[in-house]
């Protein structure tokens, strides 16, 4: 099964807001509210930033927010900071075949 | 504090075998499903395998089905991944991760590198 579709890269200046999209199908993103977002700095393990489409784990800044419309989910980061520069991956539960988790291809965020 | 610590990664020849371990602490191990996710050098995340909290049910990506076996020892708080018939394309950092509802992954280990090369 194909991965979820994300833009390869996005950029923004400090203080600005950016949005990363994640497009799937009705069998994954559109069918369930189990969409999550992960942040990964180079050489580090992924970190959960958003789960259940728009919930934040304890300790994650409220500058990070999630949403979903149809088969497309989005991650918005407001008030960009240099430390936000990282790769971001979306993920969704899927009901297709035996596969349980789909990831997006990842988006590289550059803070200018 | 939740901790997941992978081990067992190594350089192995094509066709060889390897067993990864993931030692968990800081939470009630037997109450959580667990997964393995891998990341090839310079590439994105790929889900590999998952196991329910009791270990009764397992799931595999098509690319590893029949070659990899996931298991867990709830008495030792450890997750395993037995990898057989390894191929060059299995080269990756392998992460273990704890799963919550909908197989979302709330805690990840630091990863262990598996290199398949002659």
């Amino acid at each position: 099964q194909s991965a979820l579709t994300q833009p390869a890269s996005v950029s923004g200046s400090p203080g600005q807001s950016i949005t990363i999209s994640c497009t799937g199908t009705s069998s994954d993103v559109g069918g369930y509210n189990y969409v999550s977002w992960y942040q990964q700095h180079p050489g580090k393990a992924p970190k959960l930033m958003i789960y259940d489409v728009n919930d934040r784990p304890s300790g994650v800044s409220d500058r990070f927010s999630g949403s979903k419309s149809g088969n497309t989910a989005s991650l918005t980061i407001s008030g960009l900071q240099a430390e936000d520069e990282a790769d971001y991956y979306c993920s969704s539960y899927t009901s297709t075949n035996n596969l349980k988790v789909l990831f997006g291809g990842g988006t590289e965020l550059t803070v200018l | 504090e939740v901790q997941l610590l992978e081990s067992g990664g190594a350089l192995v020849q094509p066709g060889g075998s390897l067993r990864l371990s993931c030692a968990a602490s800081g939470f009630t191990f037997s109450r959580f499903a667990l997964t393995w996710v891998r990341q090839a050098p310079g590439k994105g995340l790929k889900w590999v395998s998952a196991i329910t909290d009791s270990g009764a049910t397992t799931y595999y990506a098509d690319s590893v089905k029949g070659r990899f076996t996931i298991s867990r020892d709830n008495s030792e708080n450890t997750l395993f991944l037995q990898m057989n018939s390894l191929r060059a394309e299995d080269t990756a950092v392998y992460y273990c991760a704890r799963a919550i509802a909908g197989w979302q992954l709330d805690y990840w280990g630091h990863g262990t590198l598996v290199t398949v090369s002659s």
Side-chain angles (χ1 to χ4, degrees):
Chain A
Q1 179 159 358
S2 300
L4 306 175
T5 300
Q6 298 180 233
S9 63
V10 298
S11 63
S13 300
Q16 290 185 331
S17 295
I18 63 95
T19 297
I20 300 172
S21 62
C22 171
T23 302
T25 70
S26 58
S27 295
D28 39 73
V29 174
Y32 305 92
N33 286 327
Y34 292 133
V35 176
S36 50
W37 291 88
Y38 304 90
Q39 176 192 65
Q40 186 180 36
H41 287 108
K44 301 295 186 181
K47 174 187 176 183
L48 179 66
M49 304 302 284
I50 295 288
Y51 68 99
D52 290 353
V53 177
N54 56 14
D55 285 337
R56 282 186 308 277
S58 175
V60 172
S61 171
D62 60 4
R63 298 185 297 105
F64 291 82
S65 63
S67 63
K68 188 182 80 168
S69 177
N71 296 336
T72 298
S74 298
L75 172 71
T76 298
I77 308 174
S78 59
L80 268 180
Q81 299 179 0
E83 67 206 49
D84 300 331
E85 186 163 293
D87 293 330
Y88 291 84
Y89 295 89
C90 64
S91 179
S92 175
Y93 174 85
T94 175
S95 59
T96 303
N97 300 324
N98 184 51
L99 190 62
K100 293 300 178 184
V101 176
L102 277 179
F103 285 101
T107 299
E108 181 181 22
L109 169 62
T110 300
V111 180
L112 302 171
Chain B
E1 178 188 7
V2 173
Q3 289 193 333
L4 298 166
L5 185 61
E6 304 93 335
S7 62
L11 170 63
V12 60
Q13 292 189 339
S17 297
L18 211 54
R19 189 193 200 202
L20 305 184
S21 299
C22 174
S25 61
F27 65 101
T28 304
F29 186 77
S30 61
R31 293 185 180 176
F32 288 87
L34 299 163
T35 69
W36 287 99
V37 175
R38 70 184 181 185
Q39 186 170 35
K43 302 297 184 180
L45 302 173
K46 297 290 186 184
W47 176 80
V48 173
S49 183
I51 188 167
T52 54
D53 51 2
S54 66
T57 306
T58 58
Y59 307 92
Y60 299 94
D62 287 344
S63 57
V64 306
K65 200 174 301 182
R67 300 188 299 123
F68 289 12
T69 301
I70 190 172
S71 62
R72 62 190 295 164
D73 184 338
N74 283 351
S75 67
E76 295 291 333
N77 291 355
T78 305
L79 173 72
F80 302 101
L81 185 67
Q82 177 67 42
M83 304 186 295
N84 298 332
S85 302
L86 283 162
R87 307 166 180 168
E89 54 264 36
D90 295 320
T91 294
V93 173
Y94 285 73
Y95 296 100
C96 69
R98 191 179 81 168
I100 56 175
W103 294 99
Q104 299 168 105
L105 308 176
D106 64 345
Y107 286 95
W108 297 62
H110 61 84
T112 188
L113 176 62
V114 172
T115 302
V116 183
S117 175
S118 54

